[in-house]
């Protein structure tokens, strides 16, 4: 901690010198940004950009479209607002006591593509009390971004890796922990929970998204108690954007094909809808490392969604819709790799996912528009969400199966109001119901239990419900000082009363230097098999201790962000983060305690992570941007028989360097990204030297440091983008990702020790066509 204090003191002192400006007297402008349609009606635009004409300061709107921006004596009086798919608008500020209201119109000419491309690909939100990284539409288009899992290649905050070398399941990591500790949300509705956690990242097509917000730390209590390391919120294409047709088609050199279609339709002044369709297929077997196993499963996916918006003249908004998906993937051996095993059946796996999601979000203003300022006007909202999902799978042979069915329901009733403009309150009641039925083959347990006729997995599956109340208070001093205090109290039928306190603070030390601090508690019920599906691709038995805990952890964080002028424009920034997570209760999934088992048991000792990160964005010349980030992570956990050690397969560091250059009118756009991935501790049974931890010669072994390169070239026309690119250009792959691949039915077979890329160089090409109304 002494090093940390010195580090921040030096940065704070230097930043104060660099970012302080002579005149500290500021005036504040407040207002809203709305989107308009040609046939009438409007809606708030969250994350819209608002800035002075001379570029002296830039802010983003909140979920209500609200913004606060300071003006100094030497600043222009002309204020500009812009948002993806809308024409930027300019207003002159003549009275600083009056709220400014922007009503942006949608594009119907080439300007739509131009303005969209001018967005920063990744930016840090200036207004949010929580350290929030925003990946915009421009950022999602830096690469093919076939799905959500492939949308974070330019981020050091989020890492995405494979859970095993067979199923293709991918998992996000944030603050040194797996994605199960992140609260995923679909426009602020909890999503990708339960059975969706292994493959859910692949069920969110990138072209469906308008943006992604990555918030570090425990965040808000409004959506529940589950967020521990952070929240990732996905924003989808809006029904009000006047784009009746959008098509994205792509293909890779491995014959992976994908098609996405979106149609936003404005039926009349009150009713709007968007239709979203997705098809993808991987039909060419690939075995680049010649171990006899497919590098990636053969897959076929259909995905469809329909989202509606009703906006009445009285300010009532009703958003509702549904989504349905079906996917089949086939993995395993493509051929025998040894002649003596030619008479043995091939190790195969088939995984089928099928599900539907229904949702409704109703917002009602409690006072007529115009009776008081929008910042304090009370309103009420009701959010209801239901998910039905089935997962059927087997691993190796059809009698080693895992089948599950779930029904998840969520409801949230909230009341928002303000007292003056500095004090805002959010009060609510929420409930969650999880009914999960699971069947795990008895072949995953010790043969003695199988012969006894006892079902060793009768405890799997659960009916869990929790109901609670929450309150969140926000003090906003002209957006210079933000203090957010939230608490919630829930009763869980399995674990009793749960108290969740959280606090977030933002303070503008100067106009261009922002300090943030956060802290809070989170809880989570582990889905024993679904959250760890990769362990089924092993030859081991499973072993579960009795009375496994509900996981609990505290997370704390500090952030310091400075904005400065360097080269062209005001888009340069430097950000420093430090976050720590301490588990008070945790369920460990341990393959090192006993080589015969994958052992599930309660933590008995410390488990914590320390994460440091630096982000630097520069725009030295017009249309040339640089993004560089570096993250260092220290993850320690107490493992039975080993003591406190580095958590296995967690990379110590990650560095990202991205450059983008565009020609005039952005007809050509060039993107290059380089990643440097640090070492991770290997489980001792995967060491090159097979020495047990109890030996005097034991020494932990680590995976190598390795780079990954990406590049993309885009040519823009009036309504059409053509792009070509490549991923993992140097074809770096983890050697021998499957232990005992030549003996897949042996007890030592293990496909879950994955730390690097499983696929070589991938070349892709595609088109994006947009028809404007």
């Amino acid at each position: 901690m002494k090093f940390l204090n010195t580090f921040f003191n030096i940065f704070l002192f230097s930043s104060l010198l660099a970012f302080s400006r002579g005149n500290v007297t500021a005036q504040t402008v407040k207002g809203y940004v709305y989107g308009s349609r040609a046939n009438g009606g409007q809606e708030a635009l969250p994350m819209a950009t608002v800035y002075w004409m001379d570029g002296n300061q830039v802010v983003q709107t909140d979920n209500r479209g609200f913004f606060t921006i300071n003006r100094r004596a030497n600043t222009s009086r002309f204020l500009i607002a812009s948002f993806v798919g809308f024409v930027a608008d300019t207003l002159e500020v003549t009275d600083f006591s009056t709220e400014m209201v922007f009503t942006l119109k949608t594009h119907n000419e080439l300007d739509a593509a131009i303005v969209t491309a001018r967005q920063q690909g990744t930016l840090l939100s200036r207004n949010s009390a929580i350290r929030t990284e925003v990946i915009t539409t421009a950022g999602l288009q830096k690469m093919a971004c076939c799905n959500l899992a492939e949308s974070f290649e330019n981020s050091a905050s989020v890492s995405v890796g494979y859970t095993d070398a067979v199923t293709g399941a991918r998992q996000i990591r944030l603050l040194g922990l797996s994605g199960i500790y992140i609260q995923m949300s679909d426009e602020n509705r909890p999503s990708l929970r339960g059975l969706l956690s292994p493959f859910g990242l692949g069920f969110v097509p990138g072209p469906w998204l308008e943006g992604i917000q990555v918030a570090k730390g425990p965040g808000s209590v409004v959506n529940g108690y589950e967020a521990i390391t952070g929240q990732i919120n996905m924003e989808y294409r809006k029904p009000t954007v006047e784009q009746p047709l959008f098509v994205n088609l792509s293909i890779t050199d491995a014959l992976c094909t994908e098609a996405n279609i979106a149609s936003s339709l404005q039926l009349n002044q009150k009713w709007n809808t968007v239709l979203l369709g997705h098809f993808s297929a991987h039909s060419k077997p690939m075995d680049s490392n010649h171990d006899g196993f497919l590098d990636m499963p053969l897959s076929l996916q259909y995905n469809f969604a329909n989202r509606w918006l009703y906006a009445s003249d009285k300010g009532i908004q009703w958003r509702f819709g549904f989504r349905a998906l079906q996917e089949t993937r086939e993995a395993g051996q493509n051929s025998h790799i040894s002649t003596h095993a030619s008479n043995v059946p091939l190790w195969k796996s088939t995984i089928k996912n099928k599900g539907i999601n229904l949702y409704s979000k109703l917002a009602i203003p409690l006072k007529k528009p115009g009776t008081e300022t929008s910042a304090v006007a009370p309103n009420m909202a009701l959010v209801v969400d239901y998910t039905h999902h089935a997962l059927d799978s087997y691993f190796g042979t059809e009698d080693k199966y895992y089948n599950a069915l779930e029904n998840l329901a969520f409801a949230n009733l909230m009341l928002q109001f303000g007292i003056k403009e500095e004090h805002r309150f959010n009060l609510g009641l929420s409930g969650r119901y999880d009914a999960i039925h699971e069947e795990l083959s008895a072949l995953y347990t010790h043969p003695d239990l199988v012969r006894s006729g006892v079902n060793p997995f009768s405890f799997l599956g659960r009916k869990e419900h929790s109901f609670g109340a929450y309150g969140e208070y926000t003090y906003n001093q002209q957006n210079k000082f933000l203090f957010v205090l939230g608490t919630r109290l829930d009763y869980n039928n399995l674990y009793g009363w749960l108290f969740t306190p959280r606090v977030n603070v933002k303070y503008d030390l100067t106009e261009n230097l922002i300090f943030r601090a956060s802290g809070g508690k989170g809880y989570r019920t582990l889905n024993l098999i679904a959250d760890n599906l990769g362990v089924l691709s092993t030859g081991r038995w499973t072993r579960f201790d009795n009375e496994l805990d509900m996981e609990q952890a505290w997370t704390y964080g500090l952030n310091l962000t400075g904005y400065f002028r360097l080269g062209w424009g005001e888009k340069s920034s430097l950000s420093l983060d430090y976050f720590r997570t301490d588990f008070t209760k945790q369920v460990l999934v341990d393959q090192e305690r006993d080589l015969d088992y994958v052992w599930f048991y309660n933590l008995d000792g410390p488990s914590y992570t320390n994460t440091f990160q630096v982000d630097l964005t520069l725009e030295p010349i017009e249309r040339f941007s640089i993004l560089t980030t570096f993250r260092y992570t220290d993850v320690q956990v107490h493992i039975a028989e080993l003591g406190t050690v580095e958590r296995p397969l967690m990379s110590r560091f990650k560095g990202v360097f991205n450059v983008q250059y565009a020609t005039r009118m952005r007809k050509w756009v060039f993107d290059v990204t380089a990643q440097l991935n640090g070492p991770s501790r290997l489980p001792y049974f995967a060491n090159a030297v097979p020495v047990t931890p109890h030996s005097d010669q034991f020494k932990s072994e680590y995976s190598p440091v390795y780079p990954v390169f990406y590049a993309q070239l885009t040519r823009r026309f009036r309504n059409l983008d053509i792009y070509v690119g490549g991923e993992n250009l140097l074809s770096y792959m983890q050697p021998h990702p499957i232990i005992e691949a030549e003996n897949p039915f042996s007890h030592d077979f293990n496909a879950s020790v994955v730390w690097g890329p499983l696929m070589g160089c991938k070349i892709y090409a595609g088109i994006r066509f947009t028809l404007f109304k």
Side-chain angles (χ1 to χ4, degrees):
M1 293 303 293
K2 182 178 180 181
F3 164 76
L4 179 63
N5 292 334
T6 304
F7 180 71
F8 271 97
N9 288 336
I10 292 174
F11 178 76
L12 180 60
F13 177 74
S14 60
S15 300
L16 285 170
L17 293 178
F19 303 126
S20 296
R21 301 197 180 205
N23 184 3
V24 296
T25 302
Q27 294 170 300
T28 300
V29 179
K30 299 180 180 180
Y32 288 81
V33 180
Y34 297 100
S36 168
R37 302 182 301 279
N39 57 358
Q42 63 182 24
E43 68 167 334
L45 297 179
M47 302 309 298
T49 302
V50 181
Y51 56 96
W52 294 104
M53 181 173 285
D54 64 2
N56 193 36
Q57 189 177 3
V58 181
V59 298
Q60 284 82 44
T61 58
D62 63 15
N63 290 333
R64 300 169 291 140
F66 179 74
F67 70 88
T68 300
I69 189 169
N70 293 331
R71 173 191 177 272
R72 299 188 179 278
N74 60 350
T75 302
S76 167
R77 283 182 173 269
F78 291 95
L79 200 59
I80 301 173
S82 65
F83 189 74
V84 179
F86 291 80
V87 178
D89 193 15
T90 304
L91 296 177
E92 182 179 4
V93 181
T94 58
D95 183 357
F96 286 87
S97 63
T98 302
E99 283 188 349
M100 306 298 294
V101 178
F102 290 90
T103 303
L104 307 186
K105 297 182 179 180
T106 56
H107 292 277
N108 54 16
E109 294 181 357
L110 177 63
D111 293 341
I114 296 174
V115 173
T116 299
R118 285 176 182 169
Q119 278 191 319
Q120 288 180 266
T122 304
L123 55 91
L124 296 177
S125 174
R126 294 189 68 149
N127 285 351
S128 175
I130 306 170
R131 196 280 193 191
T132 304
E133 179 180 315
V134 181
I135 302 173
T136 66
T137 304
L140 292 171
Q141 293 179 357
K142 283 177 177 282
M143 298 180 192
C145 287
C146 298
N147 53 57
L148 182 63
E150 299 174 344
S151 302
F152 301 100
E153 303 298 353
N154 290 317
S155 171
S157 298
V158 179
S159 297
V160 181
Y162 290 96
T163 62
D164 62 86
V166 172
T167 65
R170 306 186 77 175
Q171 190 176 72
I172 284 178
R173 293 189 176 110
L174 180 67
L175 300 186
L177 294 168
S178 69
I180 60 175
Y181 300 111
I182 307 170
Q183 186 172 61
M184 306 294 296
S185 61
D186 177 341
E187 296 184 343
N188 293 313
R189 292 180 293 109
S191 66
L192 302 187
R193 301 177 61 248
L195 299 183
L196 284 168
S197 60
F199 304 102
L201 299 179
F203 298 154
V204 182
W208 287 14
L209 299 174
E210 277 193 347
I212 303 170
Q213 294 116 39
V214 182
K216 290 184 177 180
S220 173
V221 297
V222 172
N223 287 328
Y225 50 69
E226 286 193 326
I228 291 179
T229 59
Q231 296 173 310
I232 295 181
N233 182 54
M234 298 165 283
E235 292 288 339
Y236 285 77
R237 290 178 173 269
K238 300 295 186 287
T240 51
V241 176
E242 296 186 349
Q243 296 177 357
L245 181 62
F246 168 83
V247 177
N248 175 270
L249 304 174
S250 65
I251 187 170
T252 74
D253 59 336
L255 299 183
C256 295
T257 56
E258 180 172 327
N260 294 279
I261 187 170
S263 179
S264 296
L265 303 173
Q266 295 74 50
L267 305 181
N268 53 45
Q269 294 187 6
K270 296 181 179 180
W271 288 95
N272 308 270
T273 187
V274 60
L275 303 170
L276 301 166
H278 169 85
F279 164 82
S280 60
H282 180 198
S283 56
K284 181 180 178 180
M286 299 286 291
D287 182 15
S288 301
N289 56 14
H290 308 293
D291 63 359
F293 279 78
L294 296 177
D295 296 334
M296 290 295 295
L298 307 179
S299 62
L300 181 65
Q301 182 187 142
Y302 301 95
N303 208 329
F304 179 76
N306 186 202
R307 306 165 79 90
W308 287 81
L309 167 65
Y310 169 79
S312 75
D313 298 333
K314 298 181 179 180
I316 297 174
Q317 287 195 0
W318 183 28
R319 301 173 187 269
F320 62 94
F322 77 93
R323 177 179 176 181
L325 71 91
Q326 179 174 312
E327 186 199 59
T328 300
R329 54 179 67 198
E330 297 179 355
Q333 281 184 301
N334 188 45
S335 63
H336 289 289
I337 58 176
S338 59
T339 56
H340 74 274
S342 59
N343 60 339
V344 177
L346 295 178
W347 194 102
K348 290 286 189 177
S349 174
T350 296
I351 302 170
K352 296 180 180 180
N353 281 279
K354 184 185 296 184
I356 189 169
N357 172 260
L358 307 171
Y359 77 93
S360 170
K361 298 170 67 176
L362 178 64
I364 304 173
L366 300 182
K367 288 195 175 182
K368 294 181 179 180
T371 58
E372 58 181 307
T373 62
S374 301
V376 299
N379 61 83
M380 184 173 64
L382 174 64
V383 179
V384 179
D385 188 277
Y386 169 75
T387 297
H388 172 84
H389 193 88
L391 189 158
D392 296 321
S393 59
Y394 70 84
F395 302 86
T397 60
E398 293 187 8
D399 55 356
K400 291 191 71 174
Y401 56 83
Y402 171 69
N403 299 327
L405 179 70
E406 72 176 5
N407 290 281
L408 309 180
F410 170 80
N412 190 3
L413 177 65
M414 66 186 78
L415 172 66
Q416 295 179 333
F417 62 93
I419 300 176
K420 297 184 178 180
E421 295 192 4
E422 291 81 10
H423 309 278
R424 189 164 183 84
F425 298 87
N426 196 337
L427 308 177
L429 302 171
S430 67
R432 174 177 286 127
Y433 176 78
D434 297 353
I436 303 177
H437 175 73
E438 297 175 285
E439 294 180 352
L440 183 63
S441 168
L443 295 181
Y444 280 105
T445 194
H446 195 283
D448 290 345
L449 289 178
V450 176
R451 286 191 291 267
S452 69
V454 176
N455 181 2
F457 303 125
S458 59
F459 62 90
L460 289 178
R462 69 183 189 278
K463 290 185 178 180
E464 178 184 10
H465 56 78
S466 60
F467 302 94
Y470 63 86
E472 191 170 73
Y473 164 70
T474 301
Y475 174 72
N476 187 342
Q477 187 185 60
Q478 299 181 343
N479 214 43
K480 180 179 180 180
F481 176 70
L482 273 174
F483 175 78
V484 182
L485 175 64
T487 60
R488 63 177 299 131
L489 182 65
D490 295 86
Y491 179 76
N492 183 291
N493 67 307
L494 301 180
Y495 301 101
W497 291 99
L498 307 174
F499 176 64
T500 310
R502 293 175 184 174
V503 63
N504 293 277
V505 178
K506 180 183 86 79
Y507 180 65
D508 294 6
L509 300 171
T510 71
E511 181 184 4
N512 292 306
L513 185 62
I514 300 173
F515 170 77
R516 291 180 176 89
S518 63
K521 191 175 187 180
Y523 302 85
R524 188 179 185 279
T525 302
L526 187 69
N527 300 299
L528 295 174
I529 304 301
D531 290 347
N532 303 279
L533 199 65
V535 302
L536 299 186
S537 297
T538 73
R540 299 189 181 194
W541 303 309
T542 56
R543 181 168 179 173
F544 302 86
D545 281 3
N546 295 326
E547 298 183 3
L548 295 175
D549 289 333
M550 185 183 206
E551 299 187 302
Q552 304 179 20
W554 291 86
T555 298
Y556 320 90
L558 299 173
N559 168 256
L560 196 61
T561 303
Y563 300 88
F564 56 95
R565 181 187 295 274
L566 178 66
W568 188 84
E570 283 280 340
K571 297 182 178 180
S572 297
S573 65
L574 176 64
S575 175
L576 295 179
D577 295 341
Y578 168 71
F579 283 87
R580 179 181 175 92
T581 299
D582 277 296
F583 279 90
T584 55
K585 292 184 179 181
Q586 188 177 23
V587 177
L588 301 185
V589 184
D590 187 359
Q591 296 194 54
E592 298 183 276
R593 181 175 181 176
D594 189 320
L595 296 186
D596 287 332
Y597 297 96
V598 178
W599 204 322
F600 295 73
Y601 59 91
N602 290 323
L603 173 73
D604 183 18
S607 176
Y608 63 86
T609 68
N610 291 299
T611 304
F612 303 84
Q613 184 167 323
V614 180
D615 298 83
L616 176 65
T617 59
L618 303 170
E619 193 164 2
I621 60 175
E622 186 177 2
R623 303 186 307 277
F624 180 73
S625 62
I626 299 174
L627 166 67
T628 180
T629 67
F630 181 83
R631 183 207 68 226
Y632 176 81
T633 306
D634 173 35
V635 188
Q636 302 288 325
V637 62
H638 186 87
I639 296 178
E641 307 296 332
L642 292 183
T644 302
V645 296
E646 279 189 62
R647 182 180 288 272
L649 304 177
M650 289 292 181
S651 175
R652 282 186 176 178
F653 65 80
K654 179 182 179 181
V656 177
F657 180 77
N658 170 260
V659 294
Q660 182 186 89
Y661 176 73
T663 61
R664 289 180 60 83
M665 302 298 294
R666 304 190 69 87
K667 291 184 177 180
W668 292 91
V669 181
F670 306 84
D671 272 292
V672 177
T673 298
Q675 290 183 3
L676 186 66
N677 298 274
S680 56
R681 185 180 74 83
L682 300 177
Y684 75 85
F685 58 84
N687 289 350
V689 180
V691 178
T692 65
H694 305 291
S695 171
D696 294 337
Q697 290 78 34
F698 175 76
K699 183 178 181 181
S700 295
E701 294 187 17
Y702 292 82
S703 63
V705 177
Y706 65 91
V708 181
F709 293 92
Y710 306 81
Q712 179 174 287
L713 171 64
T714 304
R715 176 64 168 97
R716 299 180 183 276
F717 299 92
R718 179 179 177 85
N719 296 97
L720 182 69
D721 294 351
I722 301 176
Y723 58 90
V724 294
E727 301 178 3
N728 195 9
L729 296 176
L730 297 183
S731 287
Y732 183 88
M733 293 186 294
Q734 176 180 338
H736 312 297
I738 300 179
I739 300 173
E740 288 291 318
E742 64 276 12
N743 297 302
F745 294 100
S746 70
H747 201 58
D748 295 326
F749 172 76
N750 200 317
S752 66
V753 184
V754 178
W755 49 261
L758 300 177
M759 295 282 290
C761 177
K762 179 175 76 173
I763 304 299
Y764 62 84
I767 61 171
R768 288 186 289 263
F769 172 79
T770 306
L771 178 65
F772 297 98
K773 188 172 181 179

